[in-house]
Amino acid sequence: MDYLFDKWARVASRLQEGSIFIFLDFDGTLAPIALTPEKASLPAKVKETLKKISNKTDFTLAFISGRSLKDIKEKIGLKNVIYSGNHGLEIEGPKIKFAAPLSLRYKAILGKIKNDLENKLTFIKGVFIEDKGLSLAIHYRLADKKQVPLVKTIFHETVIIHLVRNKIKIKAGKKVLEIRPPLEWDKGRVVLWLLARQKFASSNSRVIPVYMGDDITDEDAFKALSHRGITIFVGSLKQSCAQYYLKDTDEVAEFLRRILAIKEERS
């Protein structure tokens, strides 16, 4: 991976080749990671920049989050943009409204797993379950490090029977374990679907996709766009399928200001 600002001239040139479709994760990308999900917030200056971008005709904005659709919409609070919640199981935006069809059986299993985990994890301080409607997230960021192996053991013992029967899927993120429906649907597939839709709507004119994210779940999108656009990992340098990296959310804010400036200079 290259540090993006070291390659800015090349990136800026690429961004001038067409309209820009920006895909953004929220936690750790736009907003600094917080101790609990509800404490994370979008910095006012970043929101102002995103609002300006959303009002430009040669930009499309999509927020691709693991949060529920309702939650990510409240966190961002912008109109005329695309929101994708629950890793793409729920999508809303201009002329888009999608919800993955999930069986009552799946929802019953999810409810049972939630009850079992609540009973088994209740004695471990700092662990809590986030019910996102279509998925569950078990957060352990606040737990004592010595307790983390026990949390993971309880989690896997609880879900294993449903996992081997292909009734659920599990995914690990930053200090979180997630349970999702057994669908071949992830951030990568969501991004490709939205991009194809955008190209069709713009009569196949040139669209440059830009994806930014910091989590393991964003790797699916990095892979999907590896030969199609610009992919940016956010955080300390590590192994990633992204082409570039930025160090933190402050540098993401700077990048957004720069790409807005590119289009403003040309208009």
Side-chain angles (χ1 to χ4, degrees), residues 105-124:
R105 178 63 177 157
Y106 166 76
K107 292 178 181 177
I109 290 171
L110 202 63
K112 183 180 187 316
I113 292 174
K114 179 185 175 184
N115 289 336
D116 290 347
L117 287 173
E118 284 178 339
N119 291 331
K120 294 176 180 178
L121 294 171
T122 186
F123 68 94
I124 303 178

mmCIF file of all heavy atoms in Angstrom, residues 105-124:
data_model
loop_
_atom_site.group_PDB
_atom_site.id
_atom_site.type_symbol
_atom_site.label_atom_id
_atom_site.label_comp_id
_atom_site.label_asym_id
_atom_site.label_seq_id
_atom_site.Cartn_x
_atom_site.Cartn_y
_atom_site.Cartn_z
ATOM 1 N N ARG A 105 -37.757 -17.920 10.328
ATOM 2 C CA ARG A 105 -36.904 -18.900 11.001
ATOM 3 C C ARG A 105 -35.573 -18.281 11.404
ATOM 4 O O ARG A 105 -35.093 -18.486 12.516
ATOM 5 C CB ARG A 105 -36.677 -20.094 10.054
ATOM 6 C CG ARG A 105 -35.767 -21.172 10.617
ATOM 7 C CD ARG A 105 -36.340 -21.823 11.845
ATOM 8 N NE ARG A 105 -35.508 -22.903 12.333
ATOM 9 C CZ ARG A 105 -35.523 -23.342 13.590
ATOM 10 N NH1 ARG A 105 -36.346 -22.781 14.472
ATOM 11 N NH2 ARG A 105 -34.747 -24.327 13.957
ATOM 12 N N TYR A 106 -34.966 -17.513 10.478
ATOM 13 C CA TYR A 106 -33.708 -16.849 10.796
ATOM 14 C C TYR A 106 -33.877 -15.884 11.974
ATOM 15 O O TYR A 106 -33.057 -15.849 12.907
ATOM 16 C CB TYR A 106 -33.167 -16.094 9.581
ATOM 17 C CG TYR A 106 -32.056 -15.126 9.939
ATOM 18 C CD1 TYR A 106 -30.774 -15.588 10.224
ATOM 19 C CD2 TYR A 106 -32.309 -13.750 10.031
ATOM 20 C CE1 TYR A 106 -29.759 -14.706 10.583
ATOM 21 C CE2 TYR A 106 -31.307 -12.867 10.390
ATOM 22 C CZ TYR A 106 -30.034 -13.340 10.665
ATOM 23 O OH TYR A 106 -29.039 -12.457 11.038
ATOM 24 N N LYS A 107 -34.967 -15.116 11.938
ATOM 25 C CA LYS A 107 -35.177 -14.124 13.002
ATOM 26 C C LYS A 107 -35.399 -14.805 14.350
ATOM 27 O O LYS A 107 -34.970 -14.300 15.401
ATOM 28 C CB LYS A 107 -36.368 -13.231 12.639
ATOM 29 C CG LYS A 107 -36.068 -12.331 11.434
ATOM 30 C CD LYS A 107 -37.253 -11.488 11.028
ATOM 31 C CE LYS A 107 -36.906 -10.639 9.810
ATOM 32 N NZ LYS A 107 -38.056 -9.840 9.316
ATOM 33 N N ALA A 108 -36.048 -15.983 14.318
ATOM 34 C CA ALA A 108 -36.250 -16.735 15.567
ATOM 35 C C ALA A 108 -34.911 -17.246 16.109
ATOM 36 O O ALA A 108 -34.653 -17.188 17.316
ATOM 37 C CB ALA A 108 -37.201 -17.904 15.309
ATOM 38 N N ILE A 109 -34.057 -17.737 15.211
ATOM 39 C CA ILE A 109 -32.730 -18.209 15.628
ATOM 40 C C ILE A 109 -31.912 -17.057 16.210
ATOM 41 O O ILE A 109 -31.242 -17.195 17.236
ATOM 42 C CB ILE A 109 -31.998 -18.854 14.437
ATOM 43 C CG1 ILE A 109 -32.670 -20.184 14.067
ATOM 44 C CG2 ILE A 109 -30.522 -19.064 14.740
ATOM 45 C CD1 ILE A 109 -32.159 -20.798 12.782
ATOM 46 N N LEU A 110 -31.990 -15.910 15.543
ATOM 47 C CA LEU A 110 -31.248 -14.740 16.028
ATOM 48 C C LEU A 110 -31.716 -14.360 17.434
ATOM 49 O O LEU A 110 -30.893 -14.014 18.306
ATOM 50 C CB LEU A 110 -31.446 -13.571 15.058
ATOM 51 C CG LEU A 110 -30.392 -12.465 15.082
ATOM 52 C CD1 LEU A 110 -29.022 -13.002 14.672
ATOM 53 C CD2 LEU A 110 -30.800 -11.318 14.164
ATOM 54 N N GLY A 111 -33.022 -14.419 17.658
ATOM 55 C CA GLY A 111 -33.558 -14.093 18.973
ATOM 56 C C GLY A 111 -33.087 -15.070 20.037
ATOM 57 O O GLY A 111 -32.753 -14.673 21.163
ATOM 58 N N LYS A 112 -33.039 -16.354 19.684
ATOM 59 C CA LYS A 112 -32.570 -17.360 20.641
ATOM 60 C C LYS A 112 -31.091 -17.147 20.967
ATOM 61 O O LYS A 112 -30.689 -17.215 22.136
ATOM 62 C CB LYS A 112 -32.782 -18.764 20.078
ATOM 63 C CG LYS A 112 -32.377 -19.855 21.061
ATOM 64 C CD LYS A 112 -32.599 -21.240 20.496
ATOM 65 C CE LYS A 112 -32.334 -22.317 21.573
ATOM 66 N NZ LYS A 112 -31.145 -22.089 22.374
ATOM 67 N N ILE A 113 -30.289 -16.891 19.942
ATOM 68 C CA ILE A 113 -28.860 -16.656 20.174
ATOM 69 C C ILE A 113 -28.669 -15.441 21.086
ATOM 70 O O ILE A 113 -27.838 -15.456 22.005
ATOM 71 C CB ILE A 113 -28.122 -16.453 18.835
ATOM 72 C CG1 ILE A 113 -28.096 -17.759 18.042
ATOM 73 C CG2 ILE A 113 -26.704 -15.952 19.071
ATOM 74 C CD1 ILE A 113 -27.528 -17.615 16.644
ATOM 75 N N LYS A 114 -29.441 -14.418 20.837
ATOM 76 C CA LYS A 114 -29.329 -13.206 21.662
ATOM 77 C C LYS A 114 -29.623 -13.531 23.128
ATOM 78 O O LYS A 114 -28.865 -13.134 24.029
ATOM 79 C CB LYS A 114 -30.301 -12.135 21.156
ATOM 80 C CG LYS A 114 -30.253 -10.849 21.975
ATOM 81 C CD LYS A 114 -31.315 -9.862 21.506
ATOM 82 C CE LYS A 114 -31.341 -8.640 22.424
ATOM 83 N NZ LYS A 114 -32.437 -7.712 22.054
ATOM 84 N N ASN A 115 -30.713 -14.257 23.368
ATOM 85 C CA ASN A 115 -31.066 -14.611 24.751
ATOM 86 C C ASN A 115 -29.981 -15.476 25.399
ATOM 87 O O ASN A 115 -29.602 -15.259 26.557
ATOM 88 C CB ASN A 115 -32.401 -15.355 24.775
ATOM 89 C CG ASN A 115 -33.558 -14.444 24.453
ATOM 90 O OD1 ASN A 115 -33.471 -13.224 24.645
ATOM 91 N ND2 ASN A 115 -34.647 -15.009 23.961
ATOM 92 N N ASP A 116 -29.472 -16.451 24.641
ATOM 93 C CA ASP A 116 -28.432 -17.336 25.179
ATOM 94 C C ASP A 116 -27.160 -16.551 25.530
ATOM 95 O O ASP A 116 -26.559 -16.758 26.584
ATOM 96 C CB ASP A 116 -28.106 -18.436 24.163
ATOM 97 C CG ASP A 116 -29.234 -19.439 24.011
ATOM 98 O OD1 ASP A 116 -30.152 -19.434 24.862
ATOM 99 O OD2 ASP A 116 -29.205 -20.222 23.039
ATOM 100 N N LEU A 117 -26.761 -15.662 24.617
ATOM 101 C CA LEU A 117 -25.549 -14.885 24.870
ATOM 102 C C LEU A 117 -25.730 -13.925 26.043
ATOM 103 O O LEU A 117 -24.810 -13.732 26.851
ATOM 104 C CB LEU A 117 -25.150 -14.110 23.609
ATOM 105 C CG LEU A 117 -24.551 -14.951 22.472
ATOM 106 C CD1 LEU A 117 -24.353 -14.101 21.219
ATOM 107 C CD2 LEU A 117 -23.216 -15.565 22.898
ATOM 108 N N GLU A 118 -26.897 -13.329 26.150
ATOM 109 C CA GLU A 118 -27.151 -12.423 27.280
ATOM 110 C C GLU A 118 -27.016 -13.175 28.601
ATOM 111 O O GLU A 118 -26.427 -12.663 29.564
ATOM 112 C CB GLU A 118 -28.548 -11.810 27.155
ATOM 113 C CG GLU A 118 -28.616 -10.704 26.105
ATOM 114 C CD GLU A 118 -30.012 -10.138 25.941
ATOM 115 O OE1 GLU A 118 -30.991 -10.813 26.321
ATOM 116 O OE2 GLU A 118 -30.136 -9.016 25.403
ATOM 117 N N ASN A 119 -27.550 -14.401 28.637
ATOM 118 C CA ASN A 119 -27.466 -15.188 29.871
ATOM 119 C C ASN A 119 -26.036 -15.615 30.180
ATOM 120 O O ASN A 119 -25.603 -15.607 31.331
ATOM 121 C CB ASN A 119 -28.364 -16.432 29.755
ATOM 122 C CG ASN A 119 -29.836 -16.064 29.744
ATOM 123 O OD1 ASN A 119 -30.235 -15.049 30.328
ATOM 124 N ND2 ASN A 119 -30.652 -16.878 29.080
ATOM 125 N N LYS A 120 -25.292 -15.992 29.132
ATOM 126 C CA LYS A 120 -23.943 -16.529 29.345
ATOM 127 C C LYS A 120 -22.886 -15.444 29.570
ATOM 128 O O LYS A 120 -21.859 -15.702 30.194
ATOM 129 C CB LYS A 120 -23.544 -17.388 28.151
ATOM 130 C CG LYS A 120 -24.378 -18.655 27.993
ATOM 131 C CD LYS A 120 -23.993 -19.407 26.724
ATOM 132 C CE LYS A 120 -24.827 -20.664 26.552
ATOM 133 N NZ LYS A 120 -24.512 -21.384 25.295
ATOM 134 N N LEU A 121 -23.130 -14.251 29.014
ATOM 135 C CA LEU A 121 -22.117 -13.190 29.096
ATOM 136 C C LEU A 121 -22.399 -12.171 30.189
ATOM 137 O O LEU A 121 -21.592 -11.262 30.406
ATOM 138 C CB LEU A 121 -22.019 -12.460 27.744
ATOM 139 C CG LEU A 121 -21.503 -13.287 26.564
ATOM 140 C CD1 LEU A 121 -21.673 -12.513 25.254
ATOM 141 C CD2 LEU A 121 -20.026 -13.642 26.760
ATOM 142 N N THR A 122 -23.511 -12.331 30.866
ATOM 143 C CA THR A 122 -23.939 -11.304 31.808
ATOM 144 C C THR A 122 -22.936 -11.061 32.927
ATOM 145 O O THR A 122 -22.859 -9.955 33.471
ATOM 146 C CB THR A 122 -25.325 -11.659 32.393
ATOM 147 O OG1 THR A 122 -25.776 -10.573 33.189
ATOM 148 C CG2 THR A 122 -25.259 -12.915 33.255
ATOM 149 N N PHE A 123 -22.137 -12.070 33.278
ATOM 150 C CA PHE A 123 -21.194 -11.917 34.393
ATOM 151 C C PHE A 123 -19.862 -11.307 33.964
ATOM 152 O O PHE A 123 -18.996 -11.053 34.797
ATOM 153 C CB PHE A 123 -20.947 -13.279 35.052
ATOM 154 C CG PHE A 123 -20.187 -14.244 34.187
ATOM 155 C CD1 PHE A 123 -18.800 -14.348 34.292
ATOM 156 C CD2 PHE A 123 -20.840 -15.031 33.247
ATOM 157 C CE1 PHE A 123 -18.100 -15.229 33.479
ATOM 158 C CE2 PHE A 123 -20.144 -15.916 32.446
ATOM 159 C CZ PHE A 123 -18.761 -16.015 32.549
ATOM 160 N N ILE A 124 -19.678 -11.066 32.646
ATOM 161 C CA ILE A 124 -18.414 -10.478 32.173
ATOM 162 C C ILE A 124 -18.612 -8.979 31.961
ATOM 163 O O ILE A 124 -19.337 -8.547 31.058
ATOM 164 C CB ILE A 124 -17.929 -11.147 30.870
ATOM 165 C CG1 ILE A 124 -17.761 -12.653 31.075
ATOM 166 C CG2 ILE A 124 -16.612 -10.523 30.422
ATOM 167 C CD1 ILE A 124 -17.324 -13.406 29.834
#
